[in-house]
Amino acid sequence: MKLYEYRGDYFSRKLAVAANYAGVDLERIYMELSELKTPEFLKKNPNGKLPVLETPEGVHIFESNAILRYIARLDKTKGLYGSDILEESHVDQWLDWFVNEVSEHYFPYIAPYLGWFGDKKSSKAAESKLRPALKILDDHLKLNTFVAGNKVTIADINMMAELFIGFRFLWDEKWRKSIPNITRWFETLVAQEPFAKEYGRIMMCQKPLEIPNLQ
């Protein structure tokens, strides 16, 4: 299978981790922004966005969570989509919850630190909405090793890949103490070979980034 992606993009990296767990070989094709509006690429994804997966049948799938679900379904014995219909529903529940309750605030929170958009004020406003959502996840992980079921699923993979930026660049020891169960969960995941193969050894944040050009 071929994965068309930006190099280092979080959306694509989670797909690589899922493929590692699933035992799927990906041919990773790194693209530039200028290539996404070409007629050839628009046949793969009319939205002109990455990532895109090309299946062995030559069919193209876009939207990272749709690709994530496809990979998880390739071999159900791996358990990436849960072990039964109830766990599958919980995987879907947490995938959707994360998009609606965490990602919505997480990206405006981290964006100013990375120089994408926004400022200190907008980041603080987003952080104030992000923390209650993380509290829900932290409470859930107090009683559960993984997000859905008793082993790693694509719900874990999706969350870890996004929260990586926080743990690596923004959340120092003091910040992490406010989410101890998420921190334990994160450390458990990144120690596993399918994650380590993609991310290498992850150093937790010691000194947070600062927002450049504060107003």
Side-chain angles (χ1 to χ4, degrees):
M1 287 190 287
K2 297 179 180 179
L3 180 65
Y4 297 86
E5 59 176 296
Y6 295 117
R7 188 179 296 275
D9 174 50
Y10 119 80
F11 294 103
S12 303
R13 299 190 82 180
K14 71 181 182 183
L15 303 178
V17 171
N20 290 341
Y21 273 103
V24 173
D25 291 327
L26 288 180
E27 179 184 351
R28 302 177 73 176
I29 301 172
Y30 301 110
M31 302 191 69
E32 301 295 333
L33 186 62
S34 60
E35 300 177 272
L36 304 187
K37 300 303 180 181
T38 63
E40 181 181 8
F41 182 78
L42 290 174
K43 291 179 181 178
K44 298 176 174 61
N45 183 355
N47 300 292
K49 296 181 179 181
L50 296 171
V52 173
L53 182 73
E54 183 177 313
T55 71
E57 299 79 17
V59 177
H60 296 94
I61 304 172
F62 55 83
E63 296 298 329
S64 64
N65 278 355
I67 299 171
L68 200 62
R69 289 179 166 101
Y70 173 82
I71 292 173
R73 291 183 175 118
L74 288 173
D75 184 351
K76 291 191 175 182
T77 66
K78 302 291 186 180
L80 289 175
Y81 217 140
S83 60
D84 55 36
I85 190 171
L86 182 59
E87 284 190 6
E88 288 179 14
S89 297
H90 282 153
V91 169
D92 284 331
Q93 165 190 288
W94 286 106
L95 284 171
D96 291 347
W97 175 85
F98 197 78
V99 169
N100 294 321
E101 303 298 333
V102 177
S103 298
E104 181 178 359
H105 309 302
Y106 181 75
F107 283 109
Y109 159 61
I110 67 172
Y113 290 96
L114 302 175
W116 293 346
F117 60 84
D119 53 24
K120 184 176 182 179
K121 182 178 179 180
S122 64
S123 178
K124 286 294 184 183
E127 182 182 357
S128 68
K129 297 177 181 178
L130 173 66
R131 282 186 178 271
L134 292 181
K135 176 66 164 55
I136 291 173
L137 180 60
D138 196 71
D139 288 345
H140 174 71
L141 290 171
K142 185 176 183 179
L143 301 175
N144 297 275
T145 303
F146 302 109
V147 172
N150 297 316
K151 61 190 301 185
V152 173
T153 67
I154 53 174
D156 298 284
I157 294 170
N158 178 63
M159 291 183 185
M160 176 276 169
E162 189 166 315
L163 298 180
F164 164 77
I165 293 175
F167 279 106
R168 179 66 185 89
F169 300 109
L170 301 179
W171 298 340
D172 59 11
E173 184 176 3
K174 180 180 178 181
W175 216 105
R176 295 194 297 271
K177 285 182 178 179
S178 68
I179 49 170
N181 303 304
I182 297 177
T183 299
R184 183 268 309 155
W185 162 86
F186 182 86
E187 292 175 329
T188 298
L189 291 180
V190 300
Q192 297 195 11
E193 193 274 338
F195 282 97
K197 184 177 179 181
E198 174 65 19
Y199 286 89
R201 184 185 177 207
I202 294 178
M203 301 294 293
M204 303 291 261
C205 176
Q206 300 300 313
K207 182 179 180 181
L209 293 177
E210 295 184 2
I211 297 177
N213 301 319
L214 293 179
Q215 299 294 323

